[in-house]
Amino acid sequence: MTLLISSHPLYKSVESKLACFLSQHPSKTKLLVALSGGADSMVLLHLCQAFCQSHLLEMKALYVHHGLSINADAWQAHAQHSCSSLNIPFYAEAVHVVEKARHSIEEQARIARYAAFEKHSDETTIILLGHHANDQLETVLLRLQRGAGSLGLAGMAESRLLGNGALCFRPLLESTRKEIDAFVETFQIQHIEDESNFDDKYARNFLRNNVIPLWERLQPGLLRAITRSAALLRDQQNLLDEYTELDLLAALDNGTLCLNTVRGMSVSRQRNVLRAFIRLGQLPMPSFAILEQIRLQAVSSKDDAQIDIQLKGMCVKRYRDKLYLVKPSKQYSNQPVELGLQIDLGAMNLEQVHTTKGLRLPHEDETISVRFNCPLVRIHLSHKPGSNTIKHWLKDAKIPSWERGNIPVIFYNDTPVQIVGVGIAHSHLVDNGIRWQLSPKSHEALAK
């Protein structure tokens, strides 16, 4: 059967694409087929088995059990039996999918599926997905309905990099469902039918079962025309990404966005660089209305205007004409905490080091403690004229307002002697002393 498959036009197309993709990524030496048991993934499994035999590559298959159908166990058994008959290593991963407010069950299943892909792959793996041209047509129409821009209307990308270094690749993306069905018929490939595919309450199914067939009867070239448009948009988006990267690099300053640079751009470029900046935080892209709210407040407000716009898992803030992406952080109590040589502050350690110019050691009757969020306490720093409040010195050090409450202040009894990272009290400075500093924890320490 492998010899017959290797002479089929669909195999020739996939072989050419896979060989080219592998040559572009020589570190990728293993193939993982995402196997659902449906016609598309079963065809892909047979094509890849023939390819790996011909090119002496390692491959395996992964079935992700979403638990959303009463038939899922039977589908897994079918996928496992198919792999066994082809002598392909088979793995199954059960995932728990919970529908969340404002998130479709399909989206939650997709997120769980990609998490399973990462679990069963590494930086040497190419994960092969069975999406084809008809899937691309449906995706583009769905995104058009949602008001997507060029990035969304470019459809599914042929390849995608995962967080663990593995690459997803869709070698059938230019092949049609008709071509895949013909392959199934020719080689009598057994596959399952997901009963949810016939449920028109899902927008994709409604398009697939009702809208697209009627539209194709009126316009026989619909599939090729729209997928060609998606490919053109994808090419234009790639070009746009290159220019966006240049704008972002010009405006970035140590992880913040310089608004003075952004103001010199056209409105379209301002929006574009804001999108790129938000993507740095690995956040879902906000709606156009929220993005425009950020842009107008950031670019058009007075220099000292404050911005605090909540996004999912992060918020956008402004300080001294710069835009920040800020993650929620623990707010420390202003109650004194006695210090040893080190204190645990979550992702940071507060630790004591010896230094030539530093803080004198405490006397026997003095207790060392750390406090937070005490803005009105006064201190005379050694390198500054006169005494002033901690709030003043933190502002003088250009520390954003939302970070000031978590800056440690060292006390000897009730006397402030150091603002960590800012300065030491003039009255407590000596030639051979100590200072307290914040140090990030190692990845190993954070994992414990």
Side-chain angles (χ1 to χ4, degrees):
M1 185 173 176
T2 300
L3 289 174
L4 292 172
I5 286 177
S6 63
S7 63
H8 193 276
L10 188 59
Y11 173 79
K12 295 293 186 184
S13 171
V14 168
E15 180 187 39
S16 174
K17 291 180 180 299
L18 269 175
C20 180
F21 194 71
L22 283 163
S23 70
Q24 293 168 351
H25 303 91
S27 64
K28 310 300 182 190
T29 57
K30 296 179 290 189
L31 301 184
L32 170 64
V33 175
L35 187 62
S36 68
D40 312 333
S41 68
M42 289 300 298
V43 166
L44 184 61
L45 184 75
H46 283 76
L47 293 170
C48 289
Q49 192 249 5
F51 179 86
C52 287
Q53 282 192 350
S54 173
H55 293 76
L56 303 178
L57 284 172
E58 177 186 341
M59 74 170 287
K60 62 183 181 181
L62 172 66
Y63 175 85
V64 180
H65 192 309
H66 298 93
L68 297 176
S69 170
I70 59 173
N71 298 312
D73 289 341
W75 298 343
Q76 178 177 321
H78 164 74
Q80 185 169 5
H81 174 74
S82 300
C83 287
S84 178
S85 66
L86 294 171
N87 199 29
I88 297 171
F90 173 83
Y91 298 85
E93 182 70 24
V95 296
H96 185 54
V97 180
V98 179
E99 190 166 6
K100 297 180 181 178
R102 305 178 74 177
H103 291 272
S104 69
I105 197 73
E106 300 101 305
E107 174 65 11
Q108 295 306 308
R110 188 190 68 81
I111 291 170
R113 188 160 55 251
Y114 275 91
F117 293 164
E118 290 202 32
K119 181 177 177 181
H120 287 267
S121 64
D122 59 30
E123 67 279 358
T124 67
T125 309
I126 294 175
I127 301 165
L128 298 170
L129 307 175
H131 299 111
H132 48 72
N134 294 74
D135 295 322
Q136 184 74 294
L137 169 62
E138 294 160 10
T139 298
V140 171
L141 292 177
L142 286 169
R143 291 179 180 177
L144 180 64
Q145 166 203 301
R146 295 170 189 152
S150 61
L151 181 62
L153 296 180
M156 293 179 283
E158 190 174 49
S159 65
R160 170 187 173 183
L161 181 66
L162 298 188
N164 66 346
L167 274 170
C168 289
F169 182 56
R170 298 179 170 96
L172 293 172
L173 201 56
E174 293 181 1
S175 304
T176 67
R177 180 177 289 120
K178 186 176 180 180
E179 291 168 336
I180 290 169
D181 289 344
F183 188 93
V184 168
E185 183 69 25
T186 298
F187 296 102
Q188 293 297 293
I189 294 175
Q190 300 298 311
H191 61 279
I192 61 99
E193 288 286 354
D194 186 340
E195 71 280 357
S196 69
N197 287 338
F198 304 102
D199 188 346
D200 286 349
K201 75 178 181 182
Y202 299 111
R204 183 178 290 270
N205 291 345
F206 183 78
L207 277 174
R208 179 185 303 160
N209 301 330
N210 300 283
V211 176
I212 293 174
L214 178 61
W215 197 351
E216 284 185 314
R217 285 203 296 273
L218 295 172
Q219 186 180 344
L222 174 73
L223 175 62
R224 293 298 183 193
I226 291 185
T227 53
R228 183 172 63 250
S229 292
L232 290 170
L233 281 169
R234 201 155 47 244
D235 188 54
Q236 291 171 8
Q237 184 63 44
N238 291 338
L239 181 62
L240 178 61
D241 288 344
E242 292 181 22
Y243 284 106
T244 301
E245 185 69 19
L246 294 175
D247 277 353
L248 185 62
L249 287 173
L252 273 182
D253 179 16
N254 196 27
T256 67
L257 197 68
C258 296
L259 296 178
N260 192 45
T261 303
V262 175
R263 284 191 192 93
M265 301 175 182
S266 67
V267 170
S268 295
R269 285 174 68 189
Q270 288 175 0
R271 290 174 182 144
N272 207 43
V273 80
L274 276 174
R275 290 188 187 98
F277 181 60
I278 289 168
R279 279 196 290 270
L280 285 181
Q282 298 182 323
L283 298 169
M285 193 54 57
S287 67
F288 178 84
I290 293 176
L291 187 76
E292 192 67 355
Q293 181 186 357
I294 295 170
R295 188 188 71 81
L296 290 172
Q297 290 193 35
V299 174
S300 305
S301 302
K302 295 179 181 178
D303 289 348
D304 59 350
Q306 299 295 311
I307 295 177
D308 189 354
I309 298 176
Q310 298 293 321
L311 302 178
K312 292 179 181 177
M314 204 170 282
C315 58
V316 179
K317 292 179 181 284
R318 172 179 165 172
Y319 179 70
R320 287 183 177 260
D321 221 28
K322 289 183 179 178
L323 218 57
Y324 293 72
L325 290 176
V326 182
K327 292 181 179 179
S329 62
K330 177 181 177 181
Q331 298 299 306
Y332 296 104
S333 167
N334 61 5
Q335 295 301 309
V337 177
E338 289 192 17
L339 288 174
L341 295 179
Q342 182 174 291
I343 186 168
D344 185 346
L345 295 177
M348 306 288 286
N349 281 324
L350 179 60
E351 55 190 17
Q352 180 190 117
V353 296
H354 290 276
T355 183
T356 51
K357 280 281 188 181
L359 184 63
R360 70 160 173 82
L361 291 169
H363 298 146
E364 288 186 3
D365 62 345
E366 290 177 324
T367 299
I368 311 177
S369 64
V370 59
R371 303 182 195 181
F372 300 88
N373 198 22
C374 43
L376 300 182
V377 172
R378 299 183 72 87
I379 181 173
H380 179 189
L381 297 180
S382 61
H383 59 298
K384 298 290 183 179
S387 170
N388 218 314
T389 64
I390 289 173
K391 177 181 178 180
H392 171 87
W393 295 130
L394 293 178
K395 185 176 181 180
D396 182 68
K398 300 181 180 179
I399 294 172
S401 55
W402 59 89
E403 294 180 4
R404 295 172 194 165
N406 285 347
I407 300 295
V409 181
I410 308 301
F411 281 74
Y412 285 178
N413 291 340
D414 289 323
T415 302
V417 295
Q418 183 188 355
I419 305 174
V420 175
V422 176
I424 291 171
H426 175 77
S427 58
H428 289 66
L429 187 70
V430 294
D431 286 335
N432 292 300
I434 61 169
R435 65 180 168 84
W436 292 85
Q437 66 181 22
L438 286 169
S439 301
K441 284 185 182 176
S442 66
H443 292 298
E444 292 77 10
L446 286 171
K448 290 181 180 177

